[in-house]
Amino acid sequence: MKTLKLITVFALTAVLGFTSCQSEENTEVGANPNANSSTSPTASNFERASMNDGSDDDFLDGNACTELLFPLTATVNGQNISIISELDFSTVLEIFAEFNDDADNVTFNFPIRVRTSNYTEVTVNNQEELDALNAACENAEAEGRDAISCIDFNFPITMLTYDIALEQTGTVVLQSEKQLYTFMTGLQADEFFTVNYPVSATLSNGTTVQLNSDAEFRDSISDCVQFEEEEDEAATMAAEVEATLTNTQFKVQSFVNAGVNTAADFADWSIEFTNDLKLVAKNNVNATLSEIEGTYAVSSDTSVFLNIAFGSNNTVSALNNDWVIATYSDTMVALQSKTDASITLTFQKL
């Protein structure tokens, strides 16, 4: 899932009141040659970072530009689901997770309402209108008009305003992302501003940072965007690994612990990864031995992980671990322990 919010071409800027006042006691009173214009990189960064985030429901509408508004109903893999709040997202995800080799399908019961990146609410009457919104979102991304969702400001934020002569005209105290977006998009060509730093913000990796300048803000954006790109790459890799494993039987080609390769202990066993996230270990030499069942799960952050759980005190329980995907191909998956990189496991497709 892509975590970037995008501008949509279907909505107009929402009008929102905010606090503005004249001041002669600010630390920046007077002419300020470092004031930013409406077309400055700082203005663009704040505008993009304050857009409405529509990415949390992308698994439903596939559109990071739009936020679905509740209530709504949809048919999910043939099941009619009422979605009253974000709490109901888990029901949809559980349906998606039932099988990992099927094509998940969501059909909305129109009309539905959405909130766009610039906070305008729009009624979508049919699939064609929804497709048009999605196409506009894709075009905006292709044109580099993507928004930044990896940084959340901790309000309030105070802006100092200036006229074309760079003389201070007042202050604006902003209490929300919507107010910040409205301020930035409402700046005229003869209006300038500076940020009354420091500004506190929380990045998508959970880190809270204090920004002390436009340059620090720019660098924080660069860092968190890179982090999200790494997350996106890992998510793509996780899907590829899961597809490689699903409905396939493997043998243990290598299992190294404390420098000793014990793959021979599993030579008679095949390991099948089913499409409902189950594991089945079967002895292919001695048919009298019962199959051993377990579970698996593929996940990711900036790396890709495979959890294997066969229970305890059985022939294959030594394979239990939280593994990191080291390398993989269509026929092989190589793993190393999340807690001890010296412990490695390689599965070879049968």
Side-chain angles (χ1 to χ4, degrees):
M1 157 185 102
K2 188 176 180 65
T3 53
L4 296 178
K5 305 173 287 185
L6 307 175
I7 304 172
T8 130
V9 298
F10 285 81
L12 300 174
T13 302
V15 178
L16 179 70
F18 46 76
T19 304
S20 179
C21 60
Q22 297 289 334
S23 173
E24 296 182 357
E25 298 179 355
N26 295 304
T27 57
E28 300 288 346
V29 165
N32 189 336
N34 298 314
N36 298 288
S37 71
S38 61
T39 59
S40 65
T42 297
S44 175
N45 286 340
F46 273 104
E47 177 183 336
R48 294 167 61 205
S50 60
M51 290 178 182
N52 183 52
D53 186 1
S55 61
D56 287 347
D57 54 26
D58 283 2
F59 64 96
L60 281 170
D61 65 0
N63 188 338
C65 300
T66 58
E67 172 193 0
L68 295 170
L69 299 180
F70 309 118
L72 59 89
T73 59
T75 303
V76 181
N77 290 357
Q79 300 184 47
N80 195 50
I81 303 297
S82 294
I83 303 175
I84 308 301
S85 71
E86 289 187 1
L87 295 176
D88 295 313
F89 285 174
S90 60
T91 301
V92 178
L93 293 172
E94 286 172 4
I95 295 173
F96 283 176
E98 187 175 2
F99 303 103
N100 59 7
D101 63 344
D102 60 344
D104 295 316
N105 180 265
V106 176
T107 302
F108 293 107
N109 297 328
F110 294 100
I112 62 174
R113 289 187 60 77
V114 302
R115 183 177 293 116
T116 63
S117 293
N118 63 3
Y119 296 92
T120 300
E121 294 187 9
V122 177
T123 297
V124 183
N125 295 295
N126 50 54
Q127 186 62 47
E128 289 73 22
E129 291 182 5
L130 184 61
D131 291 342
L133 284 173
N134 292 346
C137 205
E138 292 173 359
N139 290 338
E141 180 181 10
E143 294 169 3
R145 294 183 287 118
D146 53 322
I148 301 164
S149 61
C150 62
I151 185 168
D152 290 320
F153 299 110
N154 302 316
F155 292 92
I157 295 175
T158 300
M159 299 292 179
L160 311 179
T161 59
Y162 298 82
D163 59 22
I164 198 167
L166 301 183
E167 293 289 341
Q168 187 176 352
T169 57
T171 65
V172 179
V173 180
L174 306 168
Q175 301 287 353
S176 68
E177 287 192 343
K178 185 176 181 180
Q179 289 187 6
L180 176 57
Y181 178 81
T182 301
F183 173 80
M184 288 298 165
T185 56
L187 286 169
Q188 303 300 308
D190 59 350
E191 295 177 323
F192 297 80
F193 74 95
T194 60
V195 186
N196 190 18
Y197 291 106
V199 169
S200 174
T202 302
L203 307 182
S204 56
N205 63 4
T207 303
T208 298
V209 295
Q210 179 175 288
L211 309 173
N212 297 295
S213 66
D214 292 346
E216 287 188 13
F217 178 36
R218 180 193 63 231
D219 292 344
S220 291
I221 287 175
S222 178
D223 290 344
C224 73
V225 167
Q226 180 179 350
F227 178 81
E228 287 203 333
E229 288 175 350
E230 292 172 357
E231 284 187 317
D232 290 342
E233 291 173 1
T236 299
M237 183 186 299
E240 293 173 351
V241 169
E242 189 169 77
T244 298
L245 295 172
T246 301
N247 284 332
T248 306
Q249 290 187 340
F250 292 83
K251 67 177 181 179
V252 175
Q253 183 184 60
S254 173
F255 182 46
V256 178
N257 190 349
V260 179
N261 188 348
T262 59
D265 294 345
F266 311 96
D268 297 339
W269 293 83
S270 64
I271 310 293
E272 180 183 1
F273 293 77
T274 70
N275 69 344
D276 56 354
L277 301 177
K278 299 293 193 303
L279 289 168
V280 180
K282 180 179 180 180
N283 191 293
N284 300 308
V285 176
N286 187 348
T288 65
L289 294 178
S290 300
E291 294 180 348
I292 302 172
E293 295 185 351
T295 60
Y296 73 97
V298 180
S299 61
S300 67
D301 47 32
T302 54
S303 298
V304 182
F305 309 101
L306 173 63
N307 174 267
I308 292 178
F310 271 116
S312 58
N313 300 320
N314 60 63
T315 305
V316 291
S317 60
L319 304 180
N320 294 348
N321 210 326
D322 286 318
W323 301 97
V324 180
I325 307 298
T327 60
Y328 68 99
S329 69
D330 290 339
T331 59
M332 177 273 298
V333 177
L335 314 166
Q336 64 182 32
S337 170
K338 187 176 181 180
T339 56
D340 185 349
S342 69
I343 302 174
T344 62
L345 170 63
T346 300
F347 286 119
Q348 182 70 39
K349 184 177 180 180
L350 290 174

